[in-house]
Amino acid sequence: MDASDEVMEAARRIGAVFGGLPQVLRFRAAVDEDTDGETPDEVSIAVGDGCPGPGYASYATLDMSRFPTNVTTDDGRPIRTELVTVGRSDYRALADVLAQCAFAVASGSFHVTPNCIIPNAIREVDPARSMKHLLLVVPFIWPDLEILVDTEESVDTWLQAVPISDSELEFSAANGTDQLFRRLEEAGADVSDIDRAPVF
């Protein structure tokens, strides 16, 4: 199975979660002049309109799991991760935001685990929005999403990208990301609203 077949198979699997075959978009990272002509990283993003309901859209990476997470199981197997997020259906830039997040992961400078933060993933795509960064958490919106698949070769996981503000990032630096997520939950923060009011 070549890479394009694998992407389409991944799209079919996430389509079962999103409630229909999603649109698949392909993104290429910006060319880095210091890489001596290396081909830039690419990532495929699935877009599922109407999920989890009318007025919303869900987004998922389909091939980010080939990028390093810098995390392994106790017995040395790599933990591979894909990302999923949700937004309002009229805000299509979330596909670009998720791709930006994937390219940040591709740099190899993050330990991709629940409650890690990818700084500036939104700011670099759409700096005018209230939310600027992404907090990665265990997914909680898609009941049919198989969050963890444990095989002999690897552990494949999903993490949900939750947009957060500068002030929320500052709170997490002082109090920890677990506390930040707890405060978001307590406040009933609408994680689909890219321009929601920060909880602090």
Side-chain angles (χ1 to χ4, degrees):
M1 186 180 292
D2 67 20
S4 61
D5 290 337
E6 290 178 2
V7 166
M8 292 316 296
E9 178 58 30
R12 283 189 286 273
R13 288 194 302 270
I14 199 65
V17 174
F18 287 175
L21 191 63
Q23 179 183 13
V24 177
L25 306 175
R26 191 83 176 153
F27 292 84
R28 176 174 283 186
V31 175
D32 184 346
E33 294 181 3
D34 296 330
T35 57
D36 296 326
E38 292 178 17
T39 302
D41 288 317
E42 294 186 349
V43 68
S44 298
I45 306 293
V47 182
D49 284 310
C51 178
Y56 296 90
S58 289
Y59 301 80
T61 61
L62 298 175
D63 51 1
M64 192 190 88
S65 58
R66 71 188 193 281
F67 298 148
T69 62
N70 298 311
V71 183
T72 61
T73 62
D74 290 341
D75 59 4
R77 288 174 297 153
I79 296 177
R80 308 183 318 170
T81 300
E82 298 288 355
L83 301 178
V84 63
T85 195
V86 64
R88 306 294 173 81
S89 57
D90 60 351
Y91 186 66
R92 307 309 280 188
L94 267 180
D96 302 75
V97 169
L98 210 57
Q100 180 63 38
C101 193
F103 296 139
V105 170
S107 72
S109 56
F110 295 96
H111 284 80
V112 182
T113 61
N115 292 344
C116 81
I117 291 175
I118 308 295
N120 299 312
I122 300 169
R123 178 180 278 124
E124 292 184 14
V125 171
D126 192 354
R129 296 299 173 175
S130 298
M131 302 296 104
K132 307 296 184 185
H133 321 280
L134 291 174
L135 169 66
L136 305 185
V137 302
V138 175
F140 56 87
I141 289 177
W142 306 267
D144 296 329
L145 181 63
E146 191 172 9
I147 295 172
L148 187 145
V149 177
D150 196 338
T151 70
E152 290 184 9
E153 293 80 29
S154 66
V155 173
D156 297 339
T157 67
W158 282 93
L159 291 174
Q160 180 175 343
V162 172
I164 62 170
S165 67
D166 284 336
S167 58
E168 291 164 349
L169 178 67
E170 291 170 8
F171 176 89
S172 72
N175 300 280
T177 51
D178 289 343
Q179 282 291 331
L180 171 60
F181 187 60
R182 187 173 298 114
R183 293 292 290 273
L184 291 171
E185 284 186 309
E186 290 170 353
D190 183 352
V191 298
S192 72
D193 184 357
I194 203 76
D195 287 318
R196 67 174 172 82
V199 300
F200 311 107

